[in-house]
Amino acid sequence: MTYSDLFSGHYVQFQGAVCSPSSDGAVIYSPASGSYYAVNEVAVSIWNHLASAATAAQVTDALVAEYDAPLDVLKGDVRATLEYLESVRLVERVNGGGPNAGS
């Protein structure tokens, strides 16, 4: 999946997923799989920006304001993280957007 493919919708946290901070990021529980996933600090930031539905571009823009990193690096981080979180059913892609898009 390319970064531009991520623009085809909004992403939102999977309903019922629970994030617990850890010393180097967080552990997120997926009710869909019954599994726990360890994620780093940047992934936690991405996760937090998906409490309300957001596009990859919106998440990237937010990370630009938070981290002193090149835009291409942040785009890559967002792409890889969204692909991973979606593959383990911690986030889902929804049409449209807005605060209740995932409901």
Side-chain angles (χ1 to χ4, degrees), residues 53-93:
T55 65
Q58 290 169 326
V59 173
T60 301
D61 289 346
L63 293 184
V64 166
E66 293 175 35
Y67 294 96
D68 183 25
L71 180 59
D72 286 344
V73 170
L74 294 174
K75 283 182 176 181
D77 287 349
V78 169
R79 180 193 52 76
T81 301
L82 287 177
E83 285 178 350
Y84 173 71
L85 294 176
E86 187 175 28
S87 74
V88 297
R89 299 183 65 192
L90 289 173
V91 301
E92 59 186 329
R93 198 179 311 206

Side-chain angles (χ1 to χ4, degrees), residues 20-31:
S20 297
S22 67
S23 61
D24 57 351
V27 175
I28 306 174
Y29 171 72
S30 169

